[in-house]
Amino acid sequence: MALTVERIDSPAGFGCYVHGANLNDLSDADFDKIEEALYTHKLVVITKQKDLQPQKQYELNRRFDRTASGLHGHGGKDEVLNKQFKGRQNITLGFPSVPGVDMVRLVGQGTFPPGHYGTTEPLTLAASSHRGFHLTPLDEETMEKERSTRFQRFHIDAQLYPDGNHTARVTSLWAHTLPVGPPLTVRLDDGSSQTITGAKPGRTAFMDSTYIFREMSPQDQQMVLHSEVEYAPNPYEWIINCKGQNSGFSLVSQGKELPIADLPDGEEGLQKVQRLPMCWINPLTNEPAFQVHAIIARKLHIRRSADAPFEVIDDLEEVRATLDRLQRPHLRQEKILFSPQEEGDLVVWYNRGLRHSAVEYPPSYGPRMMHQVHLQASDSVADMEKPGFVLRALEAAEKENSAPKA
Ligand SMILES: [Fe+2]
């Protein structure tokens, strides 16, 4: 069956379906089509992959970045287990893996019997809830009664620490079990009365960071094209006591960030922080995406042209107010895409051009189980600004094809 690409019909302006792929036996020609669709449409829903083998999902992620280490963005399994054993209430959490395929992580909620791809014990998944994070969360009764929810938090799949742990190019998410129930209404509760309706339960919400860039004034575009963000050392530990805005878009400034000296790496961590461009360039379309992980940003280095000196903003309230001014107006109903994914579909998205958020649902809608992969990249997003940057997966494929066969 020939592989076909079909645009998703949505005012959000991005996303496509890929039909007719067999991910368990994917030819190079079909991968090339998927890769081109991914960078063109930023999100692809590869339909009807009910028998997808976890190893093949992992290999698909690797084909987007063939020289990457192959390690999950959250680290090796041991690091994840260590986090769990320490009982840290880290908001990145630690996720269990598919047995024998450590880089495929299991995310969702509910209890599943033994026998899921080799599990030998009942498996309980606990999704991150907005209730532990938002400043004034909804209670469960209201969520059930109103069928209302929140964006848990908009983010990029990235640790952004230490320097050298590069942000994944893509994330893939395969739906094994999805909850069932009426569509949900997402409340922003950020001072506006805006709500976003029609969210199918259990699907991830996406917004396009290239759209945020396009909507900015020419002056702001000049500024963000030349400015940089400095992230905190041990960033998720740094904000462990902080609360998020109810919109899921940023943090509330209450002075609760941990002192740098109290973080696992202490003051030495400052030598390993990531300082990255505010805009990340799509290597196929050259579109800039305003891609800032606002909740863990610690400093802004602002300039309005390539030859101007940087001005540093290090007051956290001002850092967050600046980012809010630039991005919050663009969180709008018609620009959010709830991934149109059914059980057996694999969603792959361009993690350097989209932000995403989990969308909680009332427990009465039933369990959810997804297989998730994002891998530490072989290159920094900062490299993408350099002249001559090319999609290295494509380049590697070309070299492989042109190499003399032994
Ligand atoms: Fe994520």
Side-chain angles (χ1 to χ4, degrees):
M1 188 173 166
L3 184 150
T4 57
V5 176
E6 177 198 358
R7 286 178 76 107
I8 292 173
D9 183 18
S10 155
F14 63 94
C16 70
Y17 297 101
V18 169
H19 305 294
N22 176 4
L23 295 182
N24 285 332
D25 185 17
L26 187 67
S27 68
D28 284 341
D30 278 356
F31 173 75
D32 288 350
K33 286 183 194 163
I34 291 173
E35 186 179 50
E36 187 175 339
L38 183 283
Y39 285 101
T40 304
H41 299 283
K42 302 171 190 118
L43 177 142
V44 296
V45 181
I46 306 173
T47 59
K48 296 189 170 54
Q49 304 297 317
K50 269 220 179 310
D51 299 322
L52 178 61
Q53 297 158 22
Q55 178 67 22
K56 295 297 179 184
Q57 182 182 349
Y58 171 65
E59 288 172 12
L60 178 68
N61 277 64
R62 292 216 66 176
R63 285 171 92 162
F64 283 96
D65 193 357
R66 293 172 197 224
T67 56
S69 68
L71 272 182
H72 195 276
H74 289 165
K77 193 180 181 189
D78 289 346
E79 286 173 59
V80 172
L81 288 175
N82 281 339
K83 275 185 190 167
Q84 286 175 325
F85 284 138
K86 281 182 199 162
R88 300 185 78 108
Q89 295 298 304
N90 188 319
I91 64 165
T92 63
L93 294 175
F95 299 110
S97 303
V98 173
V101 196
D102 288 349
M103 300 305 153
V104 179
R105 301 283 151 83
L106 299 167
V107 299
Q109 72 185 57
T111 299
F112 297 83
H116 181 80
Y117 293 87
T119 55
T120 54
E121 305 282 334
L123 178 72
T124 297
L125 299 174
S128 304
S129 167
H130 84 280
R131 285 194 296 278
F133 180 52
H134 288 195
L135 185 65
T136 52
L138 301 174
D139 59 65
E140 221 169 81
E141 207 185 318
T142 305
M143 289 176 69
E144 289 278 5
K145 208 168 66 189
E146 294 181 359
R147 291 174 183 149
S148 61
T149 186
R150 294 262 184 82
F151 294 121
Q152 208 264 338
R153 67 184 169 104
F154 276 96
H155 65 282
I156 309 160
D157 285 332
Q159 292 300 90
L160 294 169
Y161 181 81
D163 197 23
N165 181 351
H166 301 313
T167 299
R169 294 177 180 183
V170 301
T171 298
S172 67
L173 194 63
W174 179 71
H176 177 271
T177 305
L178 287 167
V180 179
L184 298 164
T185 295
V186 185
R187 288 170 46 163
L188 294 188
D189 292 332
D190 62 347
S192 75
S193 56
Q194 193 184 176
T195 56
I196 294 174
T197 56
K200 260 187 145 179
R203 276 67 170 184
T204 306
F206 292 90
M207 64 184 308
D208 181 358
S209 301
T210 58
Y211 160 76
I212 299 177
F213 176 82
R214 280 200 307 274
E215 289 293 300
M216 287 179 182
S217 69
Q219 292 83 355
D220 282 342
Q221 286 182 341
Q222 276 307 301
M223 180 185 79
V224 299
L225 277 173
H226 295 104
S227 299
E228 298 176 354
V229 186
E230 185 177 320
Y231 293 98
N234 302 110
Y236 298 101
E237 281 88 352
W238 180 60
I239 60 161
I240 206 155
N241 296 329
C242 298
K243 291 294 179 191
Q245 291 179 356
N246 293 337
S247 64
F249 230 166
S250 187
L251 282 191
V252 182
S253 295
Q254 298 174 302
K256 292 185 175 175
E257 296 76 17
L258 291 184
I260 302 299
D262 293 354
L263 294 173
D265 292 344
E267 299 281 347
E268 277 179 31
L270 290 170
Q271 307 304 315
K272 299 186 282 185
V273 297
Q274 293 198 17
R275 178 174 158 176
L276 297 173
M278 285 186 177
C279 292
W280 300 0
I281 310 299
N282 181 314
L284 190 65
T285 65
N286 289 321
E287 294 168 289
F290 180 67
Q291 196 69 325
V292 177
H293 200 337
I295 67 168
I296 53 173
R298 183 165 163 267
K299 292 183 184 181
L300 304 180
H301 299 263
I302 303 284
R303 61 179 178 173
R304 290 175 193 280
S305 65
D307 50 10
F310 284 107
E311 291 169 30
V312 180
I313 299 179
D314 56 7
D315 175 87
L316 282 175
E317 275 191 46
E318 197 182 340
V319 167
R320 289 167 189 155
T322 304
L323 295 176
D324 268 7
R325 180 184 74 74
L326 291 167
Q327 65 184 13
R328 172 60 189 87
H330 310 298
L331 177 57
R332 291 171 26 204
Q333 163 117 16
E334 66 275 21
K335 291 298 170 189
I336 300 294
L337 180 70
F338 297 100
S339 66
Q341 178 178 28
E342 302 302 330
E343 286 178 2
D345 293 346
L346 180 82
V347 170
V348 188
W349 67 87
Y350 180 45
N351 185 47
R352 296 175 169 191
L354 298 182
R355 318 254 193 104
H356 64 281
S357 173
V359 185
E360 221 169 325
Y361 62 86
S364 66
Y365 282 40
R368 173 178 188 256
M369 177 175 310
M370 316 295 277
H371 289 189
Q372 181 250 44
V373 183
H374 55 84
L375 304 174
Q376 296 176 25
S378 61
D379 53 10
S380 164
V381 292
D383 295 342
M384 300 165 85
E385 292 203 317
K386 292 177 185 162
F389 181 89
V390 290
L391 283 177
R392 289 187 196 162
L394 290 177
E395 187 185 43
E398 276 163 23
K399 274 189 193 147
E400 255 172 45
N401 292 337
S402 61
K405 300 279 182 286

